[in-house]
Amino acid sequence: MSDQTNTEWPLWEVFYQPKDGKPFEHAGSVHAPDSEMALQNARDTYARRNEGISLWVVPSDQIVASTPEDVGPFFDPANDKAYRHPQFYSVPRAVKKRK
Amino acid sequence: MSTLDTIPKTKKEALVEILLRLADDRIVHGHRLSEWAGHGPELEEDLALANVALDMIGHASSLYSYAAELEGKEDEDHYAYFRDDIEFKNIAMLELPRGDFAFTIARQFLFSAFSYFLYEKLIETTDDEQFKGMLSKHLKEIKYHLRHSREWVLRLGDGTEESHKRMQEAFNEIWMYTGELFDLDDADQVAIEHKVYVDVSTFHDQWKNLVHETIEEGTLTVPDSEQYMFSGARKGRHTEHLGRLLAEMQFLRRSYPDATWK
């Protein structure tokens, strides 16, 4: 399985912003020959039903991800440290109201 | 009205004629594009072509509906499904077989560029609010179709040897059908007087500049515009391809007139 037999376009990850001020969310991925076409393909695949107001596309191979082996060292330490969660503090009424 | 060679007299008749011409262009084009569904060169492009096809059919549907309202017909289906090829007013470029991907892109680009300038001018000109609202909504989608097809002309033209060759052949083949875009007949003149159409020659240069720039940027050669140009489709003189297209498009509705979506 060498790269020479792979005639598929490169893969791009697509992120969309649902509303002004909201964080971008991952929508999925598309194949495209370059960034402009990736943006257009993302629009056609993920943004044709009013999903958002802005799109990002990122070459998938540019994303650095944690591996399954990282699960222990990365995430386990949080399990027994409940004090890191903020639920022990009572939230002032004025702050609650603002939600 | 809207029988062959009938020249509209009133503003309403002129508007109906224009609505049908615009709608027929779009439904025929939309149907041709829909033939790509499941056959696109890549999944993403398959979706893109299907999207454009749906946009085209959507534009046709609202234009037909308005014509039906003005003429007192039941609905848009009357125009789409119960007229024969000779009554269709679309230009021939749009009824030609879908060809390869390069041909589909060449057609999309030339027609979207034309639609873009036409709609911009028409929105400025017309005093019919309903018509104007419709055109403004559709123009947004046309801008996208133009962008998408233009980008593909550049990539195929300036791509591989094979894609360059196919893109050039596509433009060469379709060129004799581009003359019809800018034909103006008596019905158009009446519509122009009533401000429901515009003199298309006023944006011919803009269209030409955009088309030439794009073709040249894609390292392609602009075909000779002095060649023989096809015309007459708006008056019902179509190519052999329209009849077969309509046979496929209309058979279900005609065979089962009462069919409904379940």
Side-chain angles (χ1 to χ4, degrees), chain A residues 7-9 29-31 33-34 36-37 39-41 43-45 48, chain B residues 41-42 44-45 47-49 51 55 141 144 147-149 151-152 155:
Chain A
T7 57
E8 269 196 350
W9 291 332
S29 55
V30 291
H31 288 96
D34 54 51
E36 167 64 23
M37 295 317 280
L39 209 49
Q40 295 197 14
N41 288 346
R43 180 264 188 191
D44 284 322
T45 311
R48 59 181 200 271
Chain B
E42 284 273 336
E44 286 80 356
E45 193 52 34
L47 288 175
L49 292 171
N51 272 337
D55 288 347
E141 294 176 355
Y144 183 74
R147 174 172 167 181
H148 188 74
S149 53
E151 293 294 336
W152 267 120
R155 279 161 182 75

Side-chain angles (χ1 to χ4, degrees), chain B residues 161-220:
Chain B
E161 204 180 309
E162 173 80 8
S163 73
H164 177 89
K165 182 173 149 280
R166 285 187 184 227
M167 199 66 241
Q168 185 65 57
E169 280 168 4
F171 278 118
N172 294 348
E173 201 184 320
I174 205 166
W175 213 252
M176 66 176 270
Y177 298 95
T178 56
E180 249 187 345
L181 289 168
F182 291 94
D183 278 353
L184 272 179
D185 63 13
D186 295 342
D188 291 321
Q189 297 295 356
V190 178
I192 292 167
E193 280 163 33
H194 288 291
K195 293 192 170 185
V196 289
Y197 201 57
V198 289
D199 181 351
V200 287
S201 66
T202 56
F203 59 84
H204 192 193
D205 282 347
Q206 284 171 287
W207 179 85
K208 210 168 100 180
N209 288 344
L210 175 63
V211 167
H212 286 209
E213 271 171 29
T214 305
I215 291 179
E216 279 156 13
E217 198 183 329
T219 69
L220 299 155

